[in-house]
Amino acid sequence: MVLSRRTLLAAPLALSACAERPLFGPSLKPAPELAALAPAAPREFRAAWVATVANIDWPSKKGLSTAEQQAEMHAMLDRAVELKLNAIIFQVRTSADALYDSKLEPWSEYLSGSQGQAPEPFYDPLALWIAEAHKRGLELHAWFNPFRARQSGARSALAATHLGKTRPDWVKSYGDQLWLDPGEPGAAEHSLAVFKDVLQRYDVDGIHIDDYFYPYAVNDPATKQEIDFPDEPSWQRYLKSGGTLGRADWRRQNVDTLIVRIYKMVAATKPQVRFGISPFGIGKPALRPAGIAGFSQYDKLYADVERWLAEGWLDYLVPQLYWPRAQQAQAFGPLLDYWHGQNARARHVWPGLYTSRITDKPESWPVDEITGQIALQRQRAPANGTGAGHVHFSMIALQQNRRGLVDALKAGTYTDAALVPATPWLAAAGSVPPAAPQPGLARQSNGQWQLSLAAGSGQRCACWLRYGERWEFRAGSELLLSAQGLDAIVVSAIDRLGIEGPRVAYRLA
């Protein structure tokens, strides 16, 4: 069965400052001869989607108080740190709505239960998610749906400021949902303005869109025949303007145009921010590996993902590979190889994992399906490092430690911290790598030491600890260390593009 989100509906180890009062610290003596001895930093994008639509992940239900929402947020971010993840992909626009303070679209109903109602007492969820993620050494990518205007599980009346009220000419009813027509130039312009607004006002690490372009097809209940998307007015306008493309190619052109405009807008506005896309996981029928079959997003969603990779209109691709390794027609391994094979521009390609298929029901996937997929992702990653990473759908499965999943990941999969892979093609010509952070070491009354690393704004810290002949890698700006046998540390700073600056080494006296 082919699945999509339509059918669903470390982190660098960065410990908060120790509460115990520091007593005194050993001296740190510069030891430049040690800097080159520390091994390369592990690199792997380890992320989880936090879905807000239909309250899949956060908040757990509508109408929670501000304090309850924030407590759930802190718990999720702490779990990400515990697992040594290094990024969160947080859904900020589910259906032409906002999980942040916006003048362009109304507050999402998934917060209060009523679209257009701000949190009370007031706070800005996106701003707080970013601040708390960064405090823990986690990246925060803002996840948008570009065209959906109302999801099937919505219950609130549309707010007066929703596009369904203000621009009904852009909004089409299709099945039990509302959609912006991608063929309406004004609708595409509005979505682009929403992305730019968030990019300009919030310190996000990425702009991310999912697999919904034109909607997944709906069948007529009576005839069982597929209903075509109702874009006749925009299609006729295109033809009258002299357009010569067939309807399917015109629809693909509409989507292509938005993709390239988002990519160029992000690069022009904040070049250090990455643009990522998470499409359906099966490619064009004409290009698929032998034995692979199923839904064609090229023909039904009008998403020419292969072209986006070929043109370099994105920085990372997260194909939703939501099938088990042994399911032949949609086998995880061959599909992963397929997307790596399409990646001529050497962009990041990180598979999306259907981690939420681990449940308490008999049909649940076994835990080793997810740990096995991660192992296969690592095995199949190209030597150039473009395949080092994966994303879990979604955070709730990790938060609930379903069937001991978290225990298994901690025990064998995420034993060490990892840095996000670098994105060097976004670095400006002549840019300078970040200077090494300034370290401070204080002994705690419990016998541990607290290492504090002060780096530049937006930078993250990497640290290698030498215990005799063994090196231990850690990431974060506030680290609790075991003092037993520790004789040296090496530190460096990582900039917003994942590029590491020079290392500085110290011996402990």
Side-chain angles (χ1 to χ4, degrees):
M1 176 182 180
V2 174
L3 298 167
S4 71
R5 290 197 183 117
R6 176 75 173 88
T7 67
L8 303 174
L9 174 148
L13 184 54
L15 301 178
S16 61
C18 183
E20 297 188 64
R21 183 176 179 178
L23 299 177
F24 59 90
S27 61
L28 295 172
K29 295 188 175 181
E33 71 279 5
L34 297 180
L37 299 182
R43 297 274 186 166
E44 184 174 67
F45 190 71
R46 298 176 187 166
W49 282 289
V50 174
T52 56
V53 65
N55 301 101
I56 291 174
D57 292 315
W58 183 89
S60 59
K61 61 182 178 180
K62 302 173 186 176
L64 293 181
S65 69
T66 289
E68 289 170 326
Q69 290 177 9
Q70 293 181 3
E72 289 188 350
M73 174 201 66
H74 287 297
M76 286 189 169
L77 291 172
D78 289 344
R79 174 53 58 89
V81 170
E82 177 190 354
L83 271 171
K84 299 186 177 69
L85 304 186
N86 49 35
I88 292 292
I89 303 176
F90 176 64
Q91 191 174 29
V92 301
R93 188 200 200 209
T94 76
S95 324
D97 58 0
L99 274 290
Y100 58 95
D101 192 14
S102 172
K103 291 181 171 58
L104 300 178
E105 295 185 321
W107 285 98
S108 172
E109 74 167 86
Y110 301 116
L111 290 169
S112 67
S114 297
Q115 190 178 86
Q117 182 175 324
E120 181 61 42
F122 180 81
Y123 79 107
D124 186 324
L126 175 57
L128 191 61
W129 272 89
I130 292 169
E132 292 299 316
H134 286 176
K135 185 187 298 182
R136 292 163 171 80
L138 299 164
E139 291 191 351
L140 194 292
H141 296 229
W143 163 21
F144 303 78
N145 186 282
F147 293 118
R148 186 173 56 205
R150 183 175 175 84
Q151 189 264 344
S152 55
R155 295 294 177 264
S156 170
L158 293 179
T161 55
H162 188 271
L163 292 177
K165 295 287 190 181
T166 63
R167 293 306 307 251
D169 52 323
W170 295 348
V171 178
K172 307 299 178 184
S173 178
Y174 187 65
D176 57 1
Q177 302 195 31
L178 297 178
W179 289 84
L180 299 180
D181 179 0
E184 289 287 349
E189 196 71 36
H190 174 83
S191 287
L192 193 70
V194 168
F195 301 145
K196 187 172 185 179
D197 176 55
V198 168
L199 191 61
Q200 290 177 322
R201 294 195 294 122
Y202 294 91
D203 188 23
V204 296
D205 298 287
I207 295 292
H208 181 96
I209 61 176
D210 55 27
D211 56 317
Y212 293 104
F213 301 103
Y214 281 81
Y216 286 85
V218 172
N219 292 332
D220 185 289
T223 66
K224 309 302 181 187
Q225 297 298 307
E226 185 177 304
I227 302 172
D228 197 22
F229 183 72
D231 56 1
E232 189 67 16
S234 56
W235 167 240
Q236 290 301 326
R237 194 181 309 121
Y238 168 75
L239 293 178
K240 289 177 182 177
S241 72
T244 58
L245 294 175
R247 197 161 188 167
D249 287 332
W250 167 73
R251 287 173 173 171
R252 277 185 284 272
Q253 178 181 262
N254 293 333
V255 177
D256 287 350
T257 299
L258 182 67
I259 296 298
V260 71
R261 290 188 70 193
I262 296 171
Y263 183 67
K264 290 181 176 179
M265 181 274 293
V266 172
T269 307
K270 282 187 179 176
Q272 75 275 18
V273 172
R274 285 143 291 162
F275 175 44
I277 305 177
S278 177
F280 185 81
I282 303 178
K284 291 180 183 178
L287 299 178
R288 294 173 183 174
I292 296 297
F295 180 82
S296 171
Q297 63 182 329
Y298 178 82
D299 295 300
K300 298 298 184 181
L301 306 183
Y302 306 97
D304 192 350
V305 182
E306 288 85 350
R307 183 184 182 190
W308 307 341
L309 267 177
E311 298 285 354
W313 292 342
L314 48 80
D315 298 306
Y316 67 89
L317 188 79
V318 187
Q320 296 172 23
L321 304 190
Y322 289 174
W323 307 278
R325 291 164 294 170
Q327 187 166 311
Q328 283 193 328
Q330 295 88 33
F332 180 90
L335 286 172
L336 181 59
D337 291 343
Y338 171 80
W339 289 112
H340 285 318
Q342 299 298 314
N343 190 21
R345 296 278 189 134
R347 297 312 200 220
H348 300 301
V349 175
W350 302 318
L353 311 180
Y354 198 1
T355 307
S356 287
R357 277 301 301 271
I358 297 176
T359 67
D360 59 358
K361 297 179 173 60
E363 63 271 20
S364 167
W365 282 5
V367 166
D368 64 8
E369 181 60 48
I370 295 301
T371 57
Q373 288 184 4
I374 294 172
L376 190 60
Q377 165 256 305
R378 292 170 175 173
Q379 183 184 50
R380 301 284 184 95
N384 62 8
T386 58
H390 50 270
V391 183
H392 295 278
F393 187 83
S394 61
M395 190 65 200
I396 192 63
L398 301 174
Q399 195 66 21
Q400 295 173 347
N401 192 18
R402 294 179 183 173
R403 295 182 179 252
L405 170 64
V406 167
D407 304 325
L409 290 171
K410 288 169 62 177
T413 303
Y414 299 144
T415 55
D416 298 307
L419 300 177
V420 170
T423 308
W425 58 87
L426 293 182
S431 59
V432 178
Q438 294 298 311
L441 197 58
R443 182 171 292 168
Q444 307 297 310
S445 60
N446 62 2
Q448 289 186 306
W449 288 341
Q450 179 178 314
L451 176 65
S452 299
L453 299 171
S457 176
Q459 296 174 3
R460 292 172 173 82
C461 301
C463 177
W464 292 259
L465 312 172
R466 191 176 76 167
Y467 294 90
E469 298 299 316
R470 180 177 65 87
W471 288 96
E472 177 183 325
F473 176 73
R474 303 281 291 275
S477 58
E478 297 288 340
L479 305 175
L480 289 181
L481 315 178
S482 170
Q484 185 66 37
L486 179 63
D487 62 6
I489 65 170
V490 176
V491 297
S492 67
I494 313 298
D495 71 13
R496 296 296 288 265
L497 296 179
I499 295 171
E500 183 184 354
R503 299 179 180 184
V504 176
Y506 302 88
R507 293 184 187 274
L508 277 71

